[in-house]
Amino acid sequence: MSSGTGTTIDKAFEALYARDDGSLDTAASLLAADRSADAELARRGEEFVRTLWTRGWQPADLVRIARRDLADEHLRVLTGLIRSETERYGTLPRRWRAQLDELDATPGRPTDRFSYVTTVLELYRLLVRLPRLDAVGPVPGEALPPAVAGEPRMLSRIRALLAKAEATGYPEEAEALTAKAQELMARHSLDEATLAAGAPSPETPGAIRIGVEAPYEQAKAILLDAVATANHCRAVWNEAYAFSTVIGFEGDLDPVELLYTSLLVQGTAAMTRAEAEQRAGGRKRTKSFRQSFLLAYANRLGARLSATSRRVAAEAPTLLPALASRDLAVTTRTDELFPETRTTRVRAAWDEAGWTHGETAADRAGLDPGRRGVGG
């Protein structure tokens, strides 16, 4: 990089911290006129991304924020930066690899140079202003725990059951499949507690982030909290950055994410069917109907999930102290990560029909452990 190019970049990048868009336009003009700055422009972008890894951010977190606050062209630039930066590492944390696999590889359409540079600077302005987050796992370059070959059999069974529940067009079949999945999760937690009681291990609770995005993000956060709580985890919602952090022992975290995602898919499908019934009756769709539906769905499911977990735990009363000990460890870790959490009031217009339909959909989501008929 020549000294002239470095001066151009440094001068242009001052605009990233300015409050006005005029400074950004001036910076874009400088960079658009200097093609020799392109390599340094990309290198600085990778550096911004690398710095965010050390500040607790992960690929999915950055994509989520860019998708919410910027446009498709910014996402394409960000995706390229993430891919090129992470190629530097011989190995990556397991969840990072899964996040990278989900990145959109669609190439962008050609654009004029000034527009492209403006897009890059707008993205960089967002990146440099992101705050530090609490880390929820190793950063690329750090030592990783021993790799586990394949997916645990229990997790594969849960994934298969929930996939079938989402695909079926028969509510009763979806109910039985989802019920079996939740029961497997509860029994898995019991098995983990059994192992911990027999031979205490140094394992401590970990954490993952799960996107909780608009619309109706508050209802989604409540649903995720219900799934987490029923499965010996805790969920803390970060509304500003559109995710919840789920804290729990490693064996519980992936199942919680799977079940939450599946219940959200099932709930959204049920809401769509309920809206169709409303339209057939002459009523238009309303935002309050959808909000009330999802809030009722989350509220009712929370009670049913917890009831299933309590029933399974009661089958082995001698393990209740071990379960309580693990729950305490999760609560302690949550308090360490988030010492200043606060309760948020539900902000939603109430719709009686939406609430009633949401409760009905929750009852059909399939968590009654007494229902049988689907093998696992």
Side-chain angles (χ1 to χ4, degrees):
M1 179 184 69
S2 68
S3 59
T5 297
T7 301
T8 300
I9 289 281
D10 291 337
K11 185 174 181 180
F13 274 27
E14 292 176 3
L16 302 181
Y17 304 92
R19 294 184 177 275
D20 62 294
D21 287 338
S23 297
L24 204 71
D25 289 342
T26 301
S29 296
L30 283 172
L31 293 174
D34 185 1
R35 291 184 177 274
S36 65
D38 288 1
E40 179 64 9
L41 187 64
R43 190 193 71 79
R44 295 283 185 98
E46 291 180 20
E47 190 175 90
F48 289 148
V49 169
R50 185 157 55 251
T51 298
L52 286 169
W53 300 159
T54 67
R55 292 171 61 83
W57 291 78
Q58 296 186 357
D61 302 323
L62 296 184
V63 168
R64 190 181 305 117
I65 291 302
R67 184 170 55 232
R68 185 191 69 181
D69 294 349
L70 299 174
D72 288 346
E73 55 266 28
H74 302 89
L75 265 178
R76 287 191 286 268
V77 174
L78 176 61
T79 296
L81 287 174
I82 291 173
R83 289 191 183 281
S84 58
E85 205 289 319
T86 52
E87 286 174 355
R88 302 171 61 249
Y89 309 99
T91 57
L92 288 169
R94 175 176 62 86
R95 291 192 174 94
W96 283 61
R97 177 56 57 192
Q99 293 175 27
L100 293 176
D101 289 343
E102 293 179 1
L103 292 179
D104 186 1
T106 305
R109 293 178 297 178
T111 185
D112 67 273
R113 184 167 175 77
F114 176 79
S115 297
Y116 170 74
V117 174
T118 299
T119 295
V120 171
L121 291 178
E122 288 172 342
L123 172 64
Y124 289 2
R125 180 171 60 181
L126 173 69
L127 297 182
V128 300
R129 295 179 178 183
L130 293 176
R132 180 179 294 277
L133 298 176
D134 291 294
V136 293
V139 174
E142 293 182 349
L144 301 178
V148 178
E151 187 174 70
R153 182 171 180 270
M154 177 275 305
L155 194 60
S156 297
R157 291 178 67 194
I158 291 173
R159 189 185 302 279
L161 287 167
L162 294 176
K164 291 179 182 178
E166 293 166 25
T168 183
Y170 300 97
E172 288 192 359
E173 183 181 13
E175 176 181 346
L177 290 162
T178 312
K180 187 64 175 179
Q182 171 58 24
E183 190 167 342
L184 279 176
M185 291 171 62
R187 294 192 181 283
H188 172 69
S189 289
L190 204 62
D191 291 342
E192 293 289 307
T194 302
L195 293 174
S201 72
E203 182 190 7
T204 57
I208 59 173
R209 292 196 195 102
I210 298 176
V212 180
E213 301 180 68
Y216 318 118
E217 58 271 32
Q218 193 169 48
K220 294 174 183 177
I222 292 171
L223 176 61
L224 177 53
D225 180 72
V227 174
T229 301
N231 290 283
H232 308 286
C233 296
R234 294 279 301 278
V236 178
W237 182 32
N238 186 321
E239 183 178 7
Y241 293 104
F243 63 76
S244 283
T245 302
V246 178
I247 304 95
F249 284 92
E250 187 65 26
D252 293 324
L253 293 176
D254 284 338
V256 163
E257 182 172 16
L258 278 174
L259 182 56
Y260 163 71
T261 302
S262 179
L263 289 174
L264 190 57
V265 169
Q266 294 183 54
T268 301
M271 182 177 67
T272 300
R273 290 193 296 269
E275 286 183 321
E277 293 176 8
Q278 292 289 297
R279 288 196 300 273
R283 178 176 175 174
K284 296 181 179 179
R285 293 189 306 171
T286 65
K287 183 177 181 179
S288 61
F289 177 90
R290 294 188 289 270
Q291 286 178 329
S292 296
F293 182 102
L294 290 176
L295 284 169
Y297 181 76
N299 182 66
R300 180 64 68 90
L301 272 176
R304 301 186 68 207
L305 286 163
S306 295
T308 298
S309 292
R310 287 194 301 269
R311 183 193 68 81
V312 172
E315 295 176 2
T318 59
L319 291 175
L320 292 180
L323 282 172
S325 177
R326 288 168 68 84
D327 287 343
L328 178 60
V330 170
T331 298
T332 300
R333 181 57 179 153
T334 302
D335 292 341
E336 291 172 354
L337 288 173
F338 304 101
E340 299 180 357
T341 56
R342 60 184 176 83
T343 302
T344 299
R345 294 176 61 111
V346 174
R347 302 182 306 275
W350 188 72
D351 181 285
E352 182 176 3
W355 186 273
T356 300
H357 279 82
E359 287 188 324
T360 301
D363 289 338
R364 290 178 175 174
L367 301 173
D368 181 355
R371 297 286 296 252
R372 295 292 185 232
V374 175

